[in-house]
Amino acid sequence: MPDRNQTDEGLSAALRELAGSSRQGASPQLGLMLKDSFRRHYARRRRMFRLRIAALTVCMITLGLAFWLRLPSLKSKADGPVVVHMIPPEQVQPPAQISILGKGHPVASGKVFPHSNSSIATNEFVALPSFAMVSAGDELRVVRLEIPAEDLRLMGAPVTEEIANRRVTADFVVGHDGTPYAMRLVNFKENHP
Amino acid sequence: MGSDDLELLRQLAKGNEAAFESLYERYQRPIYRFVLHMSGNAASAEEITQEVFMTVIRKPKSYNAAKGTVAGYLFGIARNLMRRKMQQTCHDVPLLENGVEEDSPEAANIDLLEELSHAESLECLRKAVLALPEAYREVVVLCELEEMTYPEAAAVVKCSPGTIASRLHRAKSMLRTKLKGQGHLKRCVG
């Protein structure tokens, strides 16, 4: 048994000697080549990453733009597009002359806006809930819109169920940021499906 | 060393060239020697070492810390590449595969340290190692030539330390028998 152990040790020593006598590592050229490969690989990855970020940004901007452009049509639940007319200031009453009707008086189809296809107009603007926020220095202007009556109700205008499914033309008093403060009905027509 | 290696690999994955250099300097020699002693071919050793580090460059995140150490991971890549290469080139011609004689008293009496001390005799030993079946050759290379512990070698070979110990014992028996039986020792030492 001691002989066997001695042989084992001898063999191990010979193997260690063999390991020591062999070439100890790869050539220096391999190291240089791998470092170069590393640099090129990560430079390419960085380029791809930047390209992906740029593509993502472009996609986000395009989506945002598309959404923003479609926003008016999304808001309009009626078939036709919203028609905006800017009214020359001399043709409309200045906002200072707005006479406020109480919000508790809904516009009744039979009273203020009777059932008919004839054009109607009232000289009085009806204050919307946002009227309370109008500031003294705000530059007000009047725009004319053709929109579903339902949308008027969403803005807080007193609209009854009877005319909710019709398209109406209305003047809006809006602030410089587009906030509608008051409206008046110009005319409305039956909704023909 | 393990957590250090892991940090190096993380930094490497972020494109840190210094981390790659450190990892390369740390492991290129053991991996090169492992492949060299397994294949007996310096060109293969160089090629496989290159492939191992190219794999690390391309897929640094393929390392899973739960499966073992970074060293084990790198040796594992080298081992797989080498096996594939050997299958392609059919260089692996194991000797003594069928029925290895246990140590004879004569074999035990040979003083290998004394006889295998010259370059020529080392060449005989190198050939004898290369002639071992792959499973035995790799434990000799890992435990004797690379001086890994049994658990370290077990992590590379993916078996238990007990299996490593038994394979090493058997491999040494094969070597002794081979060296004596084919008269290499006498020729080597002149």
Side-chain angles (χ1 to χ4, degrees):
Chain A
M1 188 60 82
D3 286 342
R4 170 78 176 272
N5 288 339
Q6 197 181 354
T7 309
D8 261 1
E9 285 169 17
L11 186 58
S12 293
L15 286 167
R16 278 197 294 276
E17 199 178 337
L18 174 67
S21 69
S22 304
R23 198 171 147 186
Q24 292 298 302
S27 64
Q29 286 80 11
L30 178 64
L32 294 173
M33 193 275 282
L34 283 168
K35 281 171 202 168
D36 189 47
S37 297
F38 181 88
R39 262 180 239 125
R40 276 190 280 116
H41 178 79
Y42 279 92
R44 193 165 55 238
R45 269 187 61 171
R46 274 191 282 270
R47 270 202 305 277
M48 291 300 292
F49 180 74
R50 285 187 200 128
L51 211 63
R52 266 189 228 133
I53 292 289
L56 196 67
T57 309
V58 168
C59 281
M60 296 285 281
I61 290 170
T62 309
L63 278 173
L65 211 59
F67 181 75
W68 183 73
L69 289 172
R70 286 197 61 193
L71 203 56
S73 62
L74 287 173
K75 277 185 177 173
S76 170
K77 290 172 189 153
D79 298 335
V82 173
V83 182
V84 179
H85 303 288
M86 286 302 294
I87 305 171
E90 62 274 11
Q91 291 181 20
V92 294
Q93 290 177 326
Q97 294 179 13
I98 292 171
S99 61
I100 304 167
L101 293 179
K103 286 200 296 177
H105 305 115
V107 178
S109 57
K111 277 166 76 181
V112 186
F113 306 126
H115 269 297
S116 77
N117 287 337
S118 62
S119 290
I120 58 160
T122 69
N123 287 327
E124 291 183 330
F125 280 92
V126 178
L128 297 173
S130 54
F131 185 74
M133 295 185 292
V134 68
S135 59
D138 202 351
E139 191 182 315
L140 300 174
R141 61 204 165 96
V142 175
V143 294
R144 181 162 289 175
L145 299 174
E146 187 187 314
I147 56 171
E150 175 65 21
D151 286 3
L152 284 180
R153 184 154 52 180
L154 292 174
M155 280 186 259
V159 175
T160 57
E161 287 294 333
E162 287 89 341
I163 62 165
N165 61 341
R166 299 176 194 174
R167 291 184 68 77
V168 298
T169 304
D171 290 338
F172 287 88
V173 177
V174 296
H176 74 282
D177 61 347
T179 307
Y181 294 120
M183 60 77 62
R184 71 176 173 192
L185 197 65
V186 177
N187 66 23
F188 69 94
K189 52 192 174 187
E190 293 290 346
N191 205 12
H192 300 290
Chain B
M1 179 74 92
S3 61
D4 193 17
D5 285 347
L6 193 60
E7 185 53 33
L8 281 179
L9 207 56
R10 279 194 193 126
Q11 291 298 320
L12 187 154
K14 290 177 188 170
N16 185 334
E17 194 177 331
F20 173 73
E21 281 179 25
S22 299
L23 200 73
Y24 178 75
E25 286 307 318
R26 190 173 291 175
Y27 286 109
Q28 65 95 1
R29 287 182 188 84
I31 286 169
Y32 176 87
R33 288 195 306 257
F34 170 69
V35 183
L36 178 67
H37 291 129
M38 285 296 288
S39 67
N41 186 322
S44 294
E46 188 104 354
E47 192 182 325
I48 288 170
T49 305
Q50 177 184 338
E51 273 304 304
V52 169
F53 285 98
M54 284 306 289
T55 306
V56 172
I57 290 171
R58 288 192 202 111
K59 301 172 189 172
K61 288 177 182 169
S62 62
Y63 167 67
N64 183 354
K67 288 185 179 174
T69 61
V70 172
Y73 167 69
L74 296 175
F75 274 100
I77 298 172
R79 190 168 169 254
N80 291 336
L81 288 169
M82 195 185 56
R83 278 184 165 180
R84 209 175 301 157
K85 190 167 181 66
M86 283 183 166
Q87 278 168 2
Q88 285 168 357
T89 55
C90 300
H91 278 167
D92 191 15
V93 187
L95 302 177
L96 303 172
E97 199 149 22
N98 301 322
V100 177
E101 295 169 23
E102 275 302 313
D103 292 351
S104 60
E106 291 85 0
N109 289 333
I110 299 166
D111 187 350
L112 290 170
L113 180 60
E114 192 178 295
E115 293 191 39
L116 296 172
S117 57
H118 303 100
E120 201 177 10
S121 59
L122 287 177
E123 183 59 21
C124 293
L125 180 59
R126 190 182 67 80
K127 284 179 181 166
V129 171
L130 282 172
L132 287 172
E134 189 190 321
Y136 298 98
R137 188 163 71 239
E138 67 187 358
V139 291
V140 169
V141 171
L142 292 172
C143 297
E144 294 292 340
L145 303 181
E146 289 303 317
E147 299 183 32
M148 280 189 186
T149 61
Y150 289 171
E152 284 168 349
V156 173
V157 179
K158 294 182 176 62
C159 65
S160 69
T163 305
I164 295 290
S166 70
R167 280 187 192 171
L168 186 61
H169 175 77
R170 195 166 166 78
K172 282 182 174 176
S173 294
M174 287 176 183
L175 278 177
R176 276 193 295 268
T177 309
K178 168 78 179 159
L179 290 168
K180 177 190 170 283
Q182 297 193 352
H184 283 307
L185 282 177
K186 296 288 178 193
R187 261 209 320 272
C188 288
V189 295

